[in-house]
Amino acid sequence: MGYQLINAALMHFRAVKARAEANLEIYLQNSVGVGEHKDLVEEVIELTKLITEADEAIKYLEKQQ
């Protein structure tokens, strides 16, 4: 049971990280297509925070396995 809980949490944080990385890639490579966002720098900062927080959670959970 414990393994399943950790595995589910790992999958969650890996998905959060992957989604944030994909969005960040779009902002950095094709910023022309994201005109509805007023503050692109703030978006990049928020996505970077999501990536680093997810990465830290993944590292922690991997140690618990």
Side-chain angles (χ1 to χ4, degrees), residues 12-31:
H12 165 77
F13 285 112
R14 287 177 179 147
V16 167
K17 182 180 176 185
R19 181 178 180 175
E21 287 174 334
N23 284 327
L24 184 57
E25 179 78 16
I26 290 168
Y27 284 129
L28 297 176
Q29 301 299 321
N30 300 315
S31 60

Side-chain angles (χ1 to χ4, degrees), residues 10 12 16 23 36 41-42 46 48-49 51 59 63 65:
L10 275 169
H12 165 77
V16 167
N23 284 327
E36 72 269 4
V41 173
E42 186 61 33
E46 290 304 314
T48 302
K49 286 180 182 179
I51 292 166
K59 288 177 186 175
K63 288 180 187 177
Q65 289 184 318

Side-chain angles (χ1 to χ4, degrees), residues 1-11 14 61 64-65:
M1 179 70 134
Y3 172 77
Q4 291 175 328
L5 293 172
I6 290 174
N7 193 38
L10 275 169
M11 288 190 304
R14 287 177 179 147
L61 289 168
Q64 303 309 308
Q65 289 184 318

